[in-house]
Structures are given as C-alpha cells and as structure tokens.
Amino acid sequence: MTAQATSSTRVVAALAATVLGAAGLCLPGRAAAAPESLREGLFGPKPADGRQNMGPPVARYVSADGDGFILDRSVPRPLLKFDNSPEVFALSPYPAPRGDVIYKNDLGEPVLRATRLGGVTVFTSDRPGGSAAALAGPGAALRLASSGPQMLLERLGQASARASRAARRLIPFDAEATPGSAALIADAAMVASEAVVRMSRKGETKAISQIGRVRLVEGGKAQVQFDRGAMILTVAPAQGLAGRPSSNRIVAAAKKR
C-alpha cells in the first residue's frame, strides 16, 4: 500500500512482542484564550442582544472527583477525551428541560449535561449518577493523526499486543485500508484493544471469548459485527472520529453474543 494507492490493500499485523508506543491522536495548538466563565466555556460569550451564542469552544474541565477531560465543540460532532484514556468519544447533543443540553455517546448513554447557566455534570461508569465539573482552562483540539502504511502496521501490532495480554491469548488484528481510511482504522484498532482491556478488568471472560481476531474494514457507517470468531469493525472515514464504534459499543456488542 502506497500513498498513491487507490485500491484496498490488506494489512496483517501479528502479535507484537512489546508495545511500540501510544495510539495516535494529535493534539494541535492550544486555544487562544481561556473562557471567562464556565458558561462561556460551554456556550461561548453571550451576545449583547441577549441571545445565547452556541459557539464551538475547546476547553478542559475537572470533575469533583478529580477526573480531567477535554470537551471539543469546534467540530460538527462534539468530542470528549478523558485525561486517563487514549480514546476520544464522539458525542451527539440533545435538548433537555430548562434549556439544558445532554451529550450522548453512540449507545445513546448520557456522558455530559450542560446547563444554560454554565453548570456541567459528567457521567462515568464510576459515577453513573453524575459528578459536577468545573472549567480548568483552555484545551487542545482533538484530531486524528495522519497514518501511513508503516504507522498503521505499528498501530495494529500495538493493539494486538495490548488485547492479547488482556485476554491471555493471541488476538490478531488485521485491516483492509486505503490512504483515506488508514488514520481512522489505526484509531479504531486502539479503541478495540481498549474494549478488550476493559472487559478483562471486569472479568467478562465470556464476552472476550467471542473475539478470536479483530478485522477492520471501511464502509458507509460505523458497525460492530461478528462472523466465525472474528469481530469485524467497520469505519466510515468521512465522519472522522465519529465514524468508528466506541469501546462502549464494542463491549456491549460482545456481551450480547
């Protein structure tokens, strides 16, 4: 597979002996200035005529439990990344009573609630009832890193090594990638390994047993499917980070098997 390639090239990654490095997300330059209030951090400054400006800020927040995260609303689908995880979650905003906005993941689960007055509540597996969060300052935009053939091979090897260690057996990763899908497939491989690690930590061995290998392909929409022992993840490059299944969705699909 070369940068000029127009047809799909099959890439196979065997189990890596050691992890080569963290999975690739680049965090471009920091926002120009910190919002003056929590409300402005979420919604942007309020215009002089009293209308609410739903501007797309990028800012970092810290919950009452000390968990930090970046909320990036500079793209059509808001993105959220916790400090202690490599995964970026693509969120969908939904209106709520009293003018609030609830941001949900690809399973329809609430991840964040923002009020018109500037209050923020973040929902996690440890705090399903929510934990208040406060603005900590400007954040860095969340974007996919570029990925060529060699980088993709490395990412697949890293994902295979991490998932295999968690499962205590070999879980090969392979992909059918084009230059346009390589970056998202590399990120999806990292997310798949994160899902296996999470299931391992919770002792969900039955769910892990459904995953004999992981195959990543390009398609029209993000999907998780199983076929003869293979977990097939479909990514949609045109949708950016929203075009691949989250670890939550992968875990849910494996547990339904």
Side-chain angles (χ1 to χ4, degrees):
M1 180 173 61
T2 64
Q4 291 76 30
T6 57
S7 61
S8 296
T9 302
R10 186 172 183 79
V11 182
V12 179
L15 172 65
T18 57
V19 176
L20 301 176
L25 279 170
C26 63
L27 302 176
R30 297 177 67 84
E36 293 183 2
S37 69
L38 184 56
R39 180 191 62 77
E40 291 187 3
L42 283 169
F43 302 116
K46 189 174 182 179
D49 60 6
R51 292 181 295 106
Q52 178 64 66
N53 180 3
M54 295 293 287
V58 181
R60 183 172 182 275
Y61 302 87
V62 178
S63 74
D65 297 322
D67 297 322
F69 61 90
I70 289 177
L71 177 65
D72 182 351
R73 298 183 64 254
S74 66
V75 286
R77 287 282 297 277
L79 303 173
L80 183 144
K81 179 185 179 298
F82 291 99
D83 293 351
N84 61 355
S85 171
E87 181 175 3
V88 173
F89 291 92
L91 307 178
S92 297
Y94 293 87
R98 301 184 300 277
D100 295 357
V101 178
I102 296 178
Y103 296 90
K104 298 182 179 181
N105 62 18
D106 56 355
L107 282 179
E109 301 168 334
V111 177
L112 198 75
R113 184 176 187 128
T115 73
R116 299 284 290 195
L117 298 178
V120 177
T121 302
V122 60
F123 303 92
T124 65
S125 57
D126 294 331
R127 290 278 188 165
S131 177
L135 178 65
L142 303 171
R143 299 292 183 269
L144 275 172
S146 59
S147 181
Q150 184 59 39
M151 182 64 72
L152 176 57
L153 279 169
E154 292 179 3
R155 295 294 183 250
L156 292 171
Q158 292 166 14
S160 177
R162 189 165 183 242
S164 297
R165 282 198 303 271
R168 298 185 179 181
R169 60 176 173 81
L170 175 62
I171 299 182
F173 277 54
D174 65 84
E176 294 180 0
T178 62
S181 65
L184 188 59
I185 283 179
D187 185 72
M190 176 276 297
V191 171
S193 69
E194 178 72 10
V196 176
V197 169
R198 284 175 51 191
M199 288 186 284
S200 175
R201 288 172 179 167
K202 294 182 178 180
E204 295 170 342
T205 56
K206 182 179 179 181
I208 296 177
S209 70
Q210 306 301 315
I211 306 173
R213 60 197 293 259
V214 177
R215 185 169 181 238
L216 300 108
V217 299
E218 183 176 345
K221 64 178 182 179
Q223 294 187 80
V224 183
Q225 298 170 300
F226 291 85
D227 182 35
R228 291 173 291 182
M231 182 173 70
I232 304 170
L233 303 182
T234 303
V235 305
Q239 299 176 28
L241 284 164
R244 52 100 173 109
S246 70
S247 61
N248 298 54
R249 187 172 173 185
I250 293 171
V251 170
K255 291 171 68 175
K256 286 181 180 180
R257 296 288 295 173

